């Protein structure tokens, strides 16, 4: 196999792998959030509050998340009273 064909095959395979890694969740179609950190609503819920204040927000799934605001870097973020299990952002265990 010549070098050009080999490079073309490798490029196609890398493109497919990158799409799977950086694409969307195949079950929901939503973009993946990477490491599963706090959603934007967790920061918004603590705007205008102080560390230690109670806050809540409604998750994208429609659940009400309650917790306490805590300092994370230079921002406040809601730390949930009942955090979701570790794993994927939808609660499924990581593979």
């Amino acid at each position: 196999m010549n070098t050009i064909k080999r490079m073309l095959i490798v490029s196609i395979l890398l493109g497919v792998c990158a799409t799977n890694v950086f694409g969307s969740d195949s079950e929901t179609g939503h973009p993946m959030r990477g490491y599963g950190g706090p959603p934007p609503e967790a920061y918004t819920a603590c705007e205008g509050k102080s560390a230690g204040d109670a806050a809540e927000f409604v998750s994208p799934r429609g659940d009400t998340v309650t917790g306490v605001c805590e300092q994370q870097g230079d921002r406040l973020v809601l730390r949930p009273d009942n955090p979701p299990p570790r794993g994927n952002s939808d609660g499924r265990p990581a593979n």
Side-chain angles (χ1 to χ4, degrees):
M1 188 179 281
N2 68 29
T3 305
I4 294 175
K5 285 183 181 178
R6 191 172 295 164
M7 287 176 26
L8 179 62
I9 290 171
V10 169
S11 297
I12 291 170
L13 291 174
L14 287 174
V16 169
C17 291
T19 300
N20 287 336
V21 170
F22 298 110
S24 62
D25 184 344
S26 61
E27 289 183 18
T28 65
H30 296 296
M32 296 174 75
R33 285 202 332 238
Y35 70 93
E41 296 88 355
Y43 294 97
T44 304
C46 290
E47 288 179 356
K49 297 191 180 287
S50 299
D53 287 351
E56 65 180 39
F57 69 89
V58 177
S59 77
R61 292 188 310 236
D63 303 324
T64 299
V65 179
T66 60
V68 175
C69 297
E70 69 175 27
Q71 196 71 38
Q72 186 179 60
D74 61 347
R75 299 175 69 187
L76 286 174
V77 63
L78 183 128
R79 181 176 188 197
D81 294 329
N82 299 306
R86 294 193 70 115
N88 295 318
S89 62
D90 63 358
R92 291 179 292 141
N95 293 335

